[in-house]
Amino acid sequence: MAEARLKVYRGDSGGGQYVEYKVPVEAGMVILDAIHYIQGAYAPDLAVRWNCKAAKCGSCSGEVNGKPSLMCKTRLDDFDLSEPIEVRPIKTFPVVKDLVTDVSWNYEINKRIVPFTPTNTNTDEWKIYQDDVDRVQEFRKCIECFLCQNVCHVLRNHDKKDLDDPKHLFAGPRFMVRIASLEMHPMDGANRVPFTKNEAGIGYCNITKCCTEVCPEDIHITDNAIIPMKERVVDEFYDPVLMIWRKMTGKK
Amino acid sequence: MANSRSMAINDKLGQTERRDSWWIEPLLSGLGLGLFGIYATWAAFQGTNFEWGPYLSPFYSPHINAPWFPLSPAFLILPFPLLFRATCYYYRKAYYRAYFMSPPGCAVGPAQKGGTYTGETKFPFILQNLHRYFFYFAAIFILILTYDALLAFNFDGRFGIGVGTLIMVANVIFLGLYTFSCHSWRHIVGGKEDCFSCDKMSKLKHGAWSRVSIINENHMRWAWISLFTVGFTDLYIRLVASGVINDLRIL
């Protein structure tokens, strides 16, 4: 039987190292299966967060040979098994233990976004057409695996995560998606555009599209959420003609 | 909440655990943009051989007679398409990765160190927000180049088609696809609306927005094809005008 060698990161917030394990390969095996095998055969204390093993819960985010990916969606037969496969926790968020990271920073960001604010609270009168929710439905596919947050260089390399200083804060692709899903909702009456610019730091995004590349739900994060939000920010803050127009007409 | 510091803030330029050839893409796009830049600058300095028969190079269109201007008229024209492409949402990705290495690849260490990164919040990159205005100019150029392509069927008052005609027509089609698949345009024609069924106008806007969205998905493809065709159109006319090759008449 073919055998894979996995170098798995073992450690905690104080530091760690890679430990190599040998795993017998079965047909259709994914990285998460191999991790489970390691837990069963060698290391019952190996920590990994997972729930569904079907790319729907967004728990098992990791970096396999340096690529941010869901461990349950990464097949062993995509790798050259003559070399060890490196599995590590996502880099952008602090390690709790082994492959488990503390992603609670994301929940703090989430709390700051004004939730859905319906213009008409009588839901009996709601009539929403498919055309109006197509865009929003794409964003609702998000499983909050935070791979986009992890790969985004603004958070990953520049660490713009200072919750106390909006000058050093970028909400990250996942929350640009959430903001876009609310802003484009036909029944929503709140305006989150100033928040998007001033507190969520959309200007930090330089649209290098890594978030879109890693999204396991294939959400076109950059093209459909971030760029449209950037354009809405331009409408309110940068377009000189629209600014003069608003001054002259007094319209919003 | 625990300290949220990233483990990658000290990653050096190019540092990564990736083992695939992530550097090929930025290398190729950097080379492509660089080669086009060199050719376009050279062609703009020539000031000659930009027209032949009914053909006019896109680098020198519209015809400008400016004896007061010390350089070739191409330098009065090229800033407009250049600014459109420089602020384009696709090219930004390409050159931020290839030239600024910010970052050079996904999950690869960038050139800037942690706190120095300002993204598009400071001058000059804050000017990327004016992309829509450069789009307006680019759209005017599509009209001008369409007119040129129509004139390219007129061989001394007679209808005709040469290889140059086909090249000019193809060029304006690809430039048009690139220009009108622009993300800013997608926003302006309807993307800015929150409701597509609320009134008659918003239905029209939804139609426009959906159509732009279809070609917008391939914005990158149109960006590269049209960059090639616009350079090639100039080169072809230049070679014909300087007598290196003969234009083949088809009709």
Side-chain angles (χ1 to χ4, degrees):
Chain A
M1 193 189 284
E3 201 173 53
R5 284 176 296 149
L6 268 81
K7 284 169 89 175
V8 182
Y9 183 88
R10 300 298 309 270
D12 54 29
S13 55
Q17 71 284 320
Y18 287 98
V19 178
E20 192 169 307
Y21 301 98
K22 285 184 179 144
V23 175
V25 178
E26 285 173 42
M29 202 169 188
V30 293
I31 295 289
L32 187 59
D33 291 322
I35 296 292
H36 284 160
Y37 181 87
I38 294 167
Q39 280 182 327
Y42 313 109
D45 62 334
L46 170 61
V48 62
R49 190 188 280 130
W50 71 284
N51 280 286
C52 76
K53 218 170 91 58
K56 279 288 162 240
C57 74
S59 303
C60 66
S61 300
E63 296 184 11
V64 184
N65 279 358
K67 271 196 175 172
S69 36
L70 291 181
M71 286 186 250
C72 68
K73 228 189 154 184
T74 310
R75 292 172 64 104
L76 281 181
D77 53 15
D78 287 341
F79 295 93
D80 170 10
L81 294 182
S82 65
E83 287 175 30
I85 302 166
E86 248 174 44
V87 185
R88 58 156 302 127
I90 52 177
K91 263 190 165 181
T92 300
F93 300 102
V95 174
V96 177
K97 185 177 186 306
D98 304 333
L99 299 174
V100 177
T101 49
D102 175 6
V103 292
S104 55
W105 178 84
N106 294 289
Y107 306 130
E108 296 302 317
I109 294 293
N110 197 40
K111 285 181 207 159
R112 297 183 177 194
I113 300 170
V114 175
F116 181 54
T117 313
T119 42
N120 177 352
T121 45
N122 184 1
T123 49
D124 291 345
E125 291 172 12
W126 285 21
K127 197 168 170 185
I128 305 180
Y129 292 91
Q130 188 58 42
D131 283 350
D132 286 326
V133 286
D134 278 338
R135 286 185 295 184
V136 176
Q137 279 176 341
E138 182 192 6
F139 304 143
R140 299 291 290 216
K141 291 194 299 179
C142 176
I143 56 175
E144 295 207 316
C145 64
F146 300 131
L147 284 174
C148 57
Q149 303 288 85
N150 171 52
V151 81
C152 174
H153 68 120
V154 182
L155 301 174
R156 184 184 181 91
N157 304 107
H158 307 300
D159 212 33
K160 299 285 183 205
K161 294 205 293 269
D162 191 337
L163 290 167
D164 302 319
D165 182 3
K167 278 208 174 70
H168 297 285
L169 183 71
F170 177 52
R174 190 285 168 260
F175 297 105
M176 292 298 152
V177 166
R178 172 141 193 259
I179 293 170
S181 80
L182 293 162
E183 281 298 300
M184 293 175 189
H185 197 292
M187 294 293 173
D188 179 82
N191 177 9
R192 298 165 193 82
V193 174
F195 171 84
T196 308
K197 173 181 173 284
N198 298 324
E199 283 137 82
I202 196 169
Y204 276 127
C205 169
N206 69 348
I207 47 176
T208 30
K209 281 198 164 181
C210 289
C211 51
T212 307
E213 278 184 29
V214 300
C215 180
E217 279 293 327
D218 195 30
I219 300 170
H220 294 198
I221 301 174
T222 319
D223 287 319
N224 290 346
I226 301 182
I227 294 174
M229 285 314 299
K230 276 196 177 241
E231 287 293 322
R232 285 172 189 231
V233 168
V234 174
D235 281 349
E236 282 196 29
F237 292 97
Y238 296 110
D239 188 322
V241 173
L242 284 180
M243 282 188 211
I244 294 167
W245 173 256
R246 276 193 298 265
K247 276 256 161 69
M248 276 166 50
T249 59
K251 276 188 200 158
K252 270 214 268 181
Chain B
M1 198 190 73
N3 161 36
S4 71
R5 246 168 107 83
S6 165
M7 289 171 82
I9 42 175
N10 292 319
D11 280 5
K12 295 187 176 62
L13 172 61
Q15 187 178 330
T16 183
E17 277 117 42
R18 280 178 69 171
R19 298 186 199 161
D20 56 335
S21 312
W22 59 265
W23 44 271
I24 288 182
E25 193 189 303
L27 181 71
L28 289 181
S29 53
L31 279 175
L33 293 178
L35 285 174
F36 178 82
I38 291 166
Y39 175 76
T41 311
W42 174 82
F45 268 111
Q46 297 311 299
T48 53
N49 291 332
F50 54 79
E51 56 184 337
W52 180 88
Y55 306 153
L56 175 63
S57 158
F59 289 4
Y60 288 82
S61 174
H63 246 301
I64 298 175
N65 198 2
W68 46 269
F69 189 66
L71 296 166
S72 96
F75 285 99
L76 294 171
I77 292 160
L78 289 178
F80 294 99
L82 174 71
L83 282 167
F84 179 54
R85 288 190 189 246
T87 58
C88 161
Y89 283 102
Y90 164 67
Y91 282 113
R92 273 143 82 177
K93 168 196 164 184
Y95 66 73
Y96 284 138
R97 282 198 192 189
Y99 293 127
F100 292 90
M101 304 198 195
S102 176
C106 301
V108 178
Q112 294 97 328
K113 268 282 168 198
T116 60
Y117 175 82
T118 52
E120 300 187 335
T121 62
K122 297 256 155 70
F123 184 83
F125 298 112
I126 199 165
L127 296 178
Q128 310 277 30
N129 285 310
L130 296 177
H131 184 50
R132 59 183 63 172
Y133 287 94
F134 303 124
F135 162 79
Y136 297 139
F137 282 111
I140 296 170
F141 274 89
I142 297 301
L143 290 178
I144 296 169
L145 294 175
T146 306
Y147 178 70
D148 288 345
L150 292 174
L151 285 186
F153 289 95
N154 179 358
F155 289 81
D156 295 324
R158 285 231 201 93
F159 177 83
I161 297 174
V163 170
T165 315
L166 298 181
I167 291 174
M168 285 177 70
V169 169
N171 180 44
V172 78
I173 290 173
F174 286 118
L175 281 174
L177 281 165
Y178 169 59
T179 305
F180 292 103
S181 61
C182 166
H183 290 83
S184 289
W185 178 234
R186 185 181 181 222
H187 170 78
I188 294 161
V189 296
K192 61 173 189 270
E193 300 300 320
D194 294 339
C195 181
F196 286 136
S197 59
C198 293
D199 58 57
K200 256 223 166 86
M201 273 306 279
S202 51
K203 272 190 184 148
L204 275 174
K205 285 176 182 169
H206 181 254
W209 172 81
S210 337
R211 282 173 184 87
V212 173
S213 296
I214 293 167
I215 51 171
N216 174 265
E217 278 203 30
N218 289 307
H219 198 48
M220 173 180 93
R221 181 170 303 159
W222 310 131
W224 282 111
I225 297 175
S226 66
L227 192 73
F228 174 78
T229 59
V230 77
F232 184 73
T233 309
D234 177 84
L235 177 69
Y236 181 84
I237 294 167
R238 192 165 293 285
L239 291 176
V240 172
S242 56
V244 178
I245 55 170
N246 284 319
D247 181 52
L248 208 69
R249 267 297 279 282
I250 297 164
L251 234 134

